[in-house]
Amino acid sequence: MSERLQTVPTPEGEYFDSGRFAGLSFLLGLVAVVALVLCVVGAVLNPHQFSYSWLFAFAFFFTLCAGCFFWTIVHHATDAEWSVVVRRQLENLGALLTVLALLFVPILLLRHHLFAWMDIPRGVEESLDTKRAYLNWPFFLVRAVVFLGFFLLAALALRRLSVRQDSDGNPWFTIGMRKVSFISLPMFALCLTFGAFDWFMSLNYRWFSTMFGVYIFAGAAGSSMSLLVLVITALRQAGYLKDVVTVEHYHIMGKWMLAFCVFWAYIGFGQYMLIWYANIPEETQFFITRNTQSWWVLSMLLVIGRFFIAFPILLMRSIKKHPHQLSIVAGWILCMQMLDIYLIVLPALHGTGFRPSIWDLLSLIAIGATLGFVYLRLVPRTSLFPVRDPRLIESLQTVN
Amino acid sequence: MIKTPYGHKVYAMAAEYQSAAALYEAAKRVRDAGFRRWDVYSAFPIHGMDEAMGLGKSWLSGWVLFGGISGLLTAALVEFGPSSILYPVDVHGKPTNFFTVPAFFPIMFELTVLFAAFAAFFAWQGMNRLPRWNHPMFNWERFSRVTNDGFFLAIEARDPRFTETGVRQLLEETGGQHITIVHED
């Protein structure tokens, strides 16, 4: 019973005019090519530093896209109404996981620089030998293929079914996507958790934390919701989705950002406090590196910026209902997510303190521009929202 | 104070509506007529009714924030007070100054939530003037159906715009049935 006047969108949907942004697309493509070429130079000149920089950039964008995939499957599994209008963008961002699977190849090639456990022979270190059943190269490779393969196939399948529904509106597609999502939810949890163990936690094979997978997930879910806010705002700025996404949708996205701001702090603190309190050397080493020397400053910035600044701001309803103000907060959270990932990956290399490198920046630009370029190619192919989704009208009239 | 010919104090003039949708439309009319002291009654929350009644933002959230901050400060006081100032004890070699704060966070979090929940509950009671023994609306027999299938709207006599003829006319125009005067006691 909303007082909002709703014009039902035409079944043709709303299409992104790629011609208007040909310049941006070309620029992104050019930057991506140049940066990727420079990255190859980096991989040759300074492979040790470069491999960590690349892993950092990969991890940042991987958590964002995996988070968008997560929101898509949650949408289907819970039969959500409000998120129908933003779902196509979640699907597009999730489909970028295919590109990320390709960009994972350099990590496999540079594995000897990243993962010390691969080069230590059996019998040298007992704490490693007890983990050999899990930490060995063939199994690592199989897992990477399974994890990335799952993300890639499930994200593409969901996008494909959703796009096919645009043409005939058959509700069976909704049922089909729900089934895919039911299977995907536990698979997502396993793949993200063990992916986090493999690619980030095993940078230091002596360290372990059972909460690490959830920690990565908490950051991924909150920051991908922030990314969605930014993408939707950019599309609205360009004149699209004006009558489709309303302040009510922003309010809900803002609430999710708030929820995962708290959840990230809860998990991050839970992980920290248990290790701090128990004070066992093999567990504390991770935090000792990150809480001493110049890393301490960045760790404090993360705690304050990601939670103590973002939380009270996101508490305010007026900001959640204000697209531009919410976008500023979303941008801030993305920066904090980048810092979070940086603090997970780079201290494993520079144990003595913060040492910024040009390859950090270049890797970030290379992967970011590549994904941006592909995204601009994906968006015009379909309507900007699922035009014949059975829940579209309810979604348009969302009030909360 | 308006009284009936028999000397009863008048609480409100009330009407019954056929459906939630009819009540919703009536609420918009009453809101637009400029009444301030009135309410609608139904067995379930009606979506969008806040807006239809022109209620605006509830300030319950302000009380909850106050409760939450009180809880946080209370926890800080009862933890740092004894452990850092009154009787510092070395536990596991942990510091006793500010940097012992990770051990104190769970209690701070819990008292924040507890006090915020208390504030929400008691402020909600206070803002709704609860608990109370009785409500004048129960003097109307038909009103007992409000927990079943009745939809009611009542405009209180203490509203400055209240006139017997004017309110009756408004309720009739909005499709209200069984329009009646409800006694105060």
Side-chain angles (χ1 to χ4, degrees):
Chain A
M1 246 177 265
S2 138
E3 290 194 70
R4 199 175 303 282
L5 274 174
Q6 286 298 345
T7 46
V8 177
T10 55
E12 288 80 44
E14 201 178 350
Y15 282 84
F16 186 81
D17 178 14
S18 55
R20 270 177 67 198
F21 297 94
L24 179 65
S25 179
F26 176 75
L27 186 72
L28 279 174
L30 188 72
V31 170
V33 169
V34 172
L36 284 172
V37 168
L38 284 172
C39 281
V40 174
V41 175
V44 174
L45 284 182
N46 192 353
H48 203 56
Q49 165 71 48
F50 173 79
S51 53
Y52 282 85
S53 301
W54 185 264
L55 181 65
F56 150 67
F58 169 83
F60 173 61
F61 289 104
F62 174 75
T63 52
L64 291 182
C65 294
C68 288
F69 171 70
F70 165 74
W71 289 112
T72 318
I73 57 178
V74 166
H75 165 92
H76 291 302
T78 60
D79 201 8
E81 279 173 8
W82 76 271
S83 44
V84 172
V85 292
V86 296
R87 201 186 72 217
R88 182 54 46 78
Q89 298 318 313
L90 286 174
E91 288 160 357
N92 284 340
L93 290 164
L96 294 178
L97 284 163
T98 42
V99 185
L100 280 165
L102 277 179
L103 296 173
F104 187 75
V105 172
I107 294 169
L108 293 178
L109 297 177
L110 295 162
R111 61 184 184 277
H112 293 290
H113 295 285
L114 288 167
F115 306 109
W117 53 265
M118 285 189 183
D119 300 328
I120 299 175
R122 199 174 280 274
V124 173
E125 199 167 321
E126 206 195 330
S127 71
L128 178 59
D129 285 342
T130 54
K131 299 176 185 174
R132 290 276 185 200
Y134 185 84
L135 283 184
N136 59 73
W137 164 240
F139 194 24
F140 179 92
L141 184 64
V142 168
R143 283 195 306 265
V145 170
V146 169
F147 298 161
L148 290 169
F150 158 72
F151 280 121
L152 187 156
L153 289 177
L156 284 185
L158 284 176
R159 184 170 181 277
R160 196 174 151 72
L161 289 171
S162 171
V163 170
R164 279 175 66 193
Q165 193 178 41
D166 279 4
S167 56
D168 63 359
N170 191 338
W172 281 108
F173 286 118
T174 301
I175 309 288
M177 288 188 279
R178 196 177 302 162
K179 284 179 180 161
V180 173
S181 299
F182 284 155
I183 301 164
S184 294
L185 272 176
M187 279 299 284
F188 172 84
L190 290 174
C191 290
L192 194 76
T193 302
F194 286 99
F197 286 179
D198 280 9
W199 306 332
F200 315 129
M201 200 165 87
S202 83
L203 288 172
N204 179 348
Y205 60 87
R206 292 191 191 94
W207 184 68
F208 52 87
S209 161
T210 47
M211 289 178 87
F212 193 71
V214 190
Y215 180 74
I216 294 289
F217 162 72
S223 53
S224 58
M225 189 47 78
S226 307
L227 178 68
L228 179 68
V229 168
L230 286 180
V231 166
I232 296 290
T233 309
L235 284 171
R236 278 164 59 93
Q237 201 74 353
Y240 301 102
L241 297 174
K242 284 274 183 198
D243 302 325
V244 178
V245 179
T246 66
V247 173
E248 300 292 334
H249 299 109
Y250 272 97
H251 192 186
I252 298 178
M253 292 193 280
K255 285 188 205 173
W256 276 121
M257 283 164 63
L258 173 66
F260 274 93
C261 175
V262 179
F263 187 67
W264 176 87
Y266 185 78
I267 296 300
F269 174 71
Q271 177 174 265
Y272 177 79
M273 194 202 67
L274 292 178
I275 290 174
W276 175 82
Y277 212 91
N279 213 3
I280 300 168
E282 60 186 348
E283 289 179 352
T284 51
Q285 52 175 331
F286 180 86
F287 285 113
I288 285 175
T289 310
R290 284 154 183 83
N291 284 353
T292 50
Q293 302 144 21
S294 44
W295 289 120
W296 180 79
V297 180
L298 291 178
S299 292
M300 289 312 286
L301 178 65
L302 178 67
V303 171
I304 293 168
R306 180 80 197 246
F307 180 70
F308 287 100
I309 292 179
F311 175 69
I313 293 176
L314 282 171
L315 267 187
M316 282 179 270
R317 185 192 288 188
S318 60
I319 285 183
K320 284 179 283 197
K321 286 195 159 190
H322 195 293
H324 284 117
Q325 288 173 1
L326 189 65
S327 299
I328 294 170
V329 183
W332 173 254
I333 287 181
L334 280 189
C335 293
M336 286 298 121
Q337 170 71 6
M338 195 186 292
L339 177 63
D340 192 6
I341 298 291
Y342 196 84
L343 282 171
I344 287 169
V345 176
L346 267 300
L349 173 66
H350 300 301
T352 52
F354 174 48
R355 274 194 28 217
S357 158
I358 186 71
W359 306 114
D360 298 340
L361 191 64
L362 266 175
S363 305
L364 208 57
I365 292 173
I367 298 184
T370 311
L371 294 179
F373 177 76
V374 177
Y375 184 73
L376 280 181
R377 291 272 158 146
L378 274 179
V379 173
R381 288 201 189 166
T382 64
S383 169
L384 288 170
F385 58 92
V387 268
R388 291 192 182 173
D389 189 287
R391 296 258 182 272
L392 180 61
I393 304 292
E394 281 98 331
S395 180
L396 288 166
Q397 294 173 343
T398 299
V399 180
N400 73 103
Chain B
M1 182 61 68
I2 300 171
K3 290 194 174 185
T4 61
Y6 296 100
H8 291 293
K9 280 189 259 174
V10 172
Y11 170 70
M13 185 174 283
E16 188 180 349
Y17 291 85
Q18 287 289 328
S19 64
L23 185 63
Y24 177 82
E25 291 303 322
K28 286 201 281 191
R29 291 284 302 276
V30 176
R31 171 195 69 190
D32 293 340
F35 288 96
R36 308 294 301 166
R37 303 228 170 245
W38 59 288
D39 209 347
V40 295
Y41 305 87
S42 71
F44 51 84
I46 298 169
H47 217 69
M49 187 54 98
D50 291 20
E51 221 176 307
M53 290 181 70
L55 286 180
K57 187 183 183 305
S58 159
W59 278 104
L60 187 64
S61 58
W63 286 104
V64 175
L65 181 68
F66 171 74
I69 291 173
S70 314
L72 182 71
L73 294 178
T74 307
L77 191 72
V78 299
E79 289 182 302
F80 282 112
S83 301
S84 301
I85 300 159
L86 296 178
Y87 201 82
V89 175
D90 188 331
V91 180
H92 295 185
K94 296 284 189 288
T96 56
N97 57 18
F98 173 76
F99 289 100
T100 190
V101 75
F104 292 172
F105 265 136
I107 306 298
M108 289 177 170
F109 172 73
E110 280 157 14
L111 280 197
T112 304
V113 173
L114 181 70
F115 278 42
F118 276 149
F121 181 71
F122 288 111
W124 165 77
Q125 294 249 317
M127 290 164 105
N128 286 301
R129 298 192 182 81
L130 288 172
R132 58 190 294 170
W133 301 113
N134 191 22
H135 191 279
M137 284 304 286
F138 292 121
N139 294 335
W140 186 22
E141 274 136 45
R142 292 195 73 85
F143 190 71
S144 60
R145 284 177 51 213
V146 74
T147 52
N148 182 17
D149 60 352
F151 301 95
F152 298 90
L153 190 155
I155 300 177
E156 291 178 32
R158 62 196 170 122
D159 190 291
R161 287 171 189 266
F162 187 92
T163 57
E164 198 183 336
T165 48
V167 168
R168 183 177 289 274
Q169 198 187 346
L170 177 67
L171 293 178
E172 275 169 5
E173 280 171 15
T174 56
Q177 295 167 332
H178 310 291
I179 297 169
T180 186
I181 288 282
V182 179
H183 296 164
E184 184 87 53
D185 41 26

